[in-house]
Amino acid sequence: MHRTPQRPRRAGEQATPASLVEQRSEREVGLSDDMLLAGFGAGDPAAALAFVRRFQRTAFGVALGVIGDAGLAEDIAQQAFERAWRQAERFDPRLGTVRGWLVSIVHNLAVDAARVRRPHPIDRQDLDLLIAAMAESPEHYALAGEISAELRQALAALPEEQARAAVLTAVHGMTARELAEREAIPLGTAKSRIRAALAKLHETVATTRGPHG
Amino acid sequence: MAELSCDQCNELTAELALGVLGGRERAEALAHLSRCARCQDTVSAMTATVGRLVELLPEADPPPGFDQRVIAAMTPPGFEHPAITPPKADARRAHRGVPVAAAVLTGALLAGGGWLFGALFPVNPSGLPISGVQVQPTADVMVSPLLSGDQEIGQAYVYARDPSWIFLSISDPAKSGSIGVSTTLTCELTNQDGSTVALGKFSLQDGHADWATQTPIDARSFDGAKLTTDTGVTLASAHFSPRDADTTSDAGKHRDDSDSGNDHSGGSHDKDSDGKGSHGKGSGDKDSHGKGSDDKNSHGKGSHDKNRHDKGFHDKDSQGK
């Protein structure tokens, strides 16, 4: 395992290779997400470190939200960064933000992992907490753009059963049938909850004029 | 399988965008989408919304050291950390790290190797190489000079454990005359029985190149590598097997071995001191930090980092090449 570079260094202490990467990495902090991703994809170790640091809370948060286990979430997040590195060239800024792109990479890996072995299905209480966290007002989220703020509000405004339907399908990848079983409702009801929830959320996004995310 | 109308397909928009539609419904919907651009747009738009919804997931701190572990997992075995050191102010202060021209590896290698192999060759997003990058091999990596006749034109590094790879660093400015300014070279693995395995081709830029590839290496039969030009002429070779007597006696020694290992890097550094610096193309981090040797001591890997390194340097002065 590698040393975690110590900061601050004592005067006169020689810089280690790792800490030199750190120094350069700190200078990368001012780069835009797109530039950082480009450096990461090109194999620049300082850009790589800066990229991981910039987005590690995002990646881990998504993985944890889906899989519910910190150890598995770390594995998933790590795989996601490797995939992002390999696919960095494929990122198209016209299609979305770097953060959104990375989130989808993590999410796909996490949902696949959950299908194979989620430790246990998310329990009702955790689900309510998760929904509340997602619907939380944007002051807590530095990244919130206009669209995400509206989306949070729209989620908060959904009837509870529709919010659960939206999150269980969008985040946890549940099918309508699985939702019906979990909520003990007919399949038709499950489908209409899903459609109603997504339609309302989508309308918010579609009518909000704003920059990415 | 029924053909869906747009209305029927619209009913399925949410589930399609969520990726949770299955079986026949999904097949029917996809069939409709393949014929209907408008419904396709509808689903695309909904897919974007689903993506934004997932982005609302709260962030969370990963366990400490996560970032280091992620990077470490992408670094090739044999190279613990690429040491980013600026070009030496004093070209005579040769050190173990071999200056690496910041060439970009082929995309195939980066993708197939599964490592941040590019970490060895940092490139600015603008594409300009960053000079002054030093490679810090560990004790598991063998190095040997690439000799054209008795002229050293570069080094070959080999990591013979699984997953094995070979890395060549060539720096032969036109002054040696043995190779052209821009040449395509073929690299082959050579075995002790004389057989060869083609590894790939690469080009020199202004007489410089850095190139690496993963390849199976059987330490028992492996001899070295050779470079041939496109006319089939053998340009240079490196030998790692101990029986070879043509190269200097230190060929193929591990880094933690004799000082003569320094000769190789010393040799190349001499070349560099002729003005190429660390293949100084483009901009570099020109801090005055050229303490390569100390970096290696603090690298803490043990054997090849000992002060013997400095002693080796002095010895190099007294030894011939």
Side-chain angles (χ1 to χ4, degrees):
Chain A
M1 192 51 68
H2 301 278
R3 301 181 300 283
T4 304
Q6 303 299 313
R7 284 192 300 263
R9 288 192 296 282
R10 299 185 296 278
E13 182 179 330
Q14 293 304 321
T16 65
S19 63
L20 284 164
V21 176
E22 294 263 329
Q23 280 178 35
R24 275 194 51 217
S25 186
E26 281 159 21
R27 289 201 288 278
E28 311 282 345
V29 164
L31 288 180
S32 71
D33 291 350
D34 291 19
M35 291 291 288
L36 209 54
L37 176 63
F40 181 29
D44 179 350
L49 191 58
F51 185 89
V52 171
R53 285 187 173 162
R54 186 175 289 189
F55 292 108
Q56 61 183 338
R57 298 188 70 247
T58 296
F60 186 72
V62 169
L64 190 62
V66 174
I67 204 81
D69 173 276
L72 290 173
E74 178 171 352
D75 288 344
I76 290 164
Q78 179 175 317
Q79 282 177 53
F81 278 113
E82 291 187 33
R83 187 170 285 193
W85 161 54
R86 275 191 217 107
Q87 299 182 353
E89 292 155 356
R90 292 200 222 154
F91 170 70
D92 185 346
R94 295 167 302 180
L95 300 180
T97 61
V98 171
R99 185 177 192 271
W101 176 78
L102 182 67
V103 164
S104 72
I105 290 175
V106 182
H107 186 242
N108 287 336
L109 286 167
V111 168
D112 287 348
R115 280 201 197 102
V116 175
R117 61 172 185 138
R118 193 181 204 282
H120 39 259
I122 183 167
D123 70 33
R124 175 63 183 259
Q125 200 171 5
D126 286 343
L127 178 61
D128 288 344
L129 287 171
L130 188 64
I131 293 171
M134 291 171 72
E136 195 171 349
S137 81
E139 296 102 53
H140 300 280
Y141 293 92
L143 314 157
E146 187 183 340
I147 288 183
S148 108
E150 300 271 357
L151 193 57
R152 290 185 195 281
Q153 285 178 19
L155 181 63
L158 286 179
E160 284 182 13
E161 71 277 6
Q162 285 184 20
R164 289 198 302 273
V167 171
L168 286 170
T169 53
V171 170
H172 299 98
M174 274 198 184
T175 63
R177 183 168 302 279
E178 289 167 336
L179 180 70
E181 282 173 25
R182 180 189 165 106
E183 301 267 298
I185 52 179
L187 178 60
T189 306
K191 283 179 179 278
S192 20
R193 279 188 197 174
I194 293 169
R195 292 165 191 174
L198 269 289
K200 282 184 203 153
L201 294 175
H202 182 62
E203 194 187 329
T204 302
V205 167
T207 56
T208 301
R209 302 256 179 273
H212 286 308
Chain B
M1 198 169 85
E3 284 203 13
L4 300 184
S5 67
C6 289
D7 281 345
Q8 288 170 318
C9 189
N10 282 339
E11 295 270 282
L12 301 173
T13 298
E15 286 165 89
L16 276 166
L18 289 162
V20 300
L21 201 60
R24 200 185 54 172
E25 275 188 311
R26 182 178 141 92
E28 289 175 348
L30 291 179
H32 178 86
L33 289 180
S34 71
R35 296 187 304 264
C36 178
R38 198 179 51 171
C39 286
Q40 219 169 40
D41 287 347
T42 304
V43 173
S44 291
M46 182 63 85
T47 301
T49 294
V50 172
R52 290 198 152 92
L53 183 59
V54 176
E55 278 189 73
L56 298 184
L57 280 168
E59 301 193 337
D61 286 313
F66 171 77
D67 52 356
Q68 303 284 347
R69 289 193 286 278
V70 170
I71 300 297
M74 295 190 289
T75 303
F79 287 83
E80 287 215 346
H81 287 290
I84 314 284
T85 44
K88 324 178 270 303
D90 178 0
R92 289 162 300 177
R93 187 182 300 181
H95 47 86
R96 295 253 181 191
V98 175
V100 173
V104 178
L105 289 179
T106 61
L109 174 63
L110 284 171
W115 300 323
L116 201 67
F117 227 134
L120 303 177
F121 313 102
V123 176
N124 282 320
S126 63
L128 292 175
I130 301 171
S131 62
V133 177
Q134 307 287 328
V135 167
Q136 302 294 329
T138 67
D140 289 327
V141 175
M142 298 189 290
V143 62
S144 187
L146 273 166
L147 295 173
S148 182
D150 60 359
Q151 181 83 33
E152 179 172 341
I153 65 160
Q155 295 77 37
Y157 291 77
V158 165
Y159 180 77
R161 295 166 62 162
D162 183 47
S164 49
W165 48 257
I166 184 167
F167 157 47
L168 306 179
S169 177
I170 297 168
S171 168
D172 184 46
K175 71 175 176 66
S176 80
S178 56
I179 50 184
V181 169
S182 287
T183 306
T184 301
L185 298 175
T186 300
C187 178
E188 293 171 289
L189 207 69
T190 55
N191 292 312
Q192 292 168 22
D193 63 4
S195 60
T196 64
V197 176
L199 295 181
K201 289 181 199 261
F202 59 96
S203 297
L204 299 183
Q205 309 272 352
D206 297 334
H208 300 282
D210 297 289
W211 183 83
T213 188
Q214 269 185 278
T215 178
I217 292 175
D218 181 348
R220 294 161 305 177
S221 58
F222 165 69
D223 169 58
K226 71 175 184 181
L227 297 175
T228 55
T229 65
D230 40 24
T231 54
V233 172
T234 295
L235 169 70
S237 61
H239 300 275
F240 292 85
S241 62
R243 321 177 300 168
D244 191 278
D246 290 341
T247 62
T248 54
S249 57
D250 16 330
K253 291 286 175 69
H254 286 249
R255 278 304 212 184
D256 54 1
D257 248 326
S258 65
D259 305 325
S260 50
N262 272 335
D263 285 353
H264 308 318
S265 40
S268 67
H269 286 259
D270 284 344
K271 286 186 172 49
D272 285 337
S273 69
D274 282 341
K276 289 292 176 180
S278 27
H279 308 260
K281 299 178 192 187
S283 53
D285 297 345
K286 301 217 185 287
D287 306 324
S288 52
H289 198 89
K291 295 246 181 224
S293 56
D294 296 309
D295 287 342
K296 281 171 277 308
N297 283 335
S298 58
H299 200 72
K301 189 61 180 166
S303 47
H304 70 290
D305 292 334
K306 292 194 172 19
N307 292 333
R308 173 176 42 82
H309 161 81
D310 293 321
K311 270 194 249 161
F313 181 18
H314 299 318
D315 289 343
K316 177 193 80 70
D317 289 342
S318 53
Q319 283 179 11
K321 196 167 126 19

